[in-house]
Amino acid sequence: MAFEELKNDLIGLQTEMGSYIEHSEEYYRLKIFKVLSKNATGLLQLVLIGISALLALLFLSFAACLWLSELMDSYFSGFVVISGFYILLAFVCYLFREKLNKPVLKKLSTYYFS
């Protein structure tokens, strides 16, 4: 009778250990996903803001600076106004960077968990 109880306890312990290992594996998978997705969204934010700034710099900077310089009769004033605009644009991009997290996390989770 004592051996039967010990056998049942060991079988129950084996089942509990299997369940614990399975849940631990799921926990670490989710933790790794969280870290990777945060890094990916941070990188995506950096790339999008960088590309936006570069395109704005290339296509608008010199044309707008020269146009404003002609209007103000001063190259310095035209360049200062345009640089102020870029500072404002960078600030707005910084304010809305959190809006990118949700769509990227959803997209990554579909790839990771499917």
Side-chain angles (χ1 to χ4, degrees):
M1 180 108 175
F3 290 117
E4 193 65 37
E5 285 182 34
L6 182 60
K7 181 181 175 184
N8 288 339
D9 287 343
L10 288 176
I11 290 173
L13 181 63
Q14 182 181 10
T15 305
E16 295 283 333
M17 288 297 292
S19 175
Y20 173 75
I21 290 171
E22 183 179 323
H23 285 88
S24 293
E25 181 184 346
E26 286 181 38
Y27 169 76
Y28 286 115
R29 284 182 65 205
L30 286 172
K31 183 130 178 115
I32 289 169
F33 171 73
K34 181 180 176 183
V35 170
L36 289 176
S37 62
K38 279 192 174 194
N39 289 336
T41 56
L43 182 63
L44 181 63
Q45 290 172 357
L46 180 66
V47 167
L48 288 176
I49 291 170
I51 287 172
S52 297
L54 183 62
L55 288 174
L57 181 67
L58 290 174
F59 291 111
L60 297 174
S61 290
F62 289 110
C65 289
L66 293 175
W67 179 69
L68 284 174
S69 296
E70 286 180 17
L71 290 176
M72 296 180 186
D73 292 327
S74 168
Y75 280 109
F76 179 76
S77 299
F79 280 89
V80 167
V81 169
I82 296 301
S83 64
F85 169 76
Y86 288 136
I87 290 171
L88 180 65
L89 180 67
F91 182 71
V92 169
C93 289
Y94 178 77
L95 288 177
F96 290 108
R97 73 189 185 283
E98 293 296 324
K99 299 280 184 188
L100 295 173
N101 283 346
K102 287 182 183 178
V104 171
L105 283 174
K106 284 182 181 179
K107 191 74 165 175
L108 286 176
S109 65
T110 59
Y111 288 123
Y112 185 77
F113 291 114
S114 61

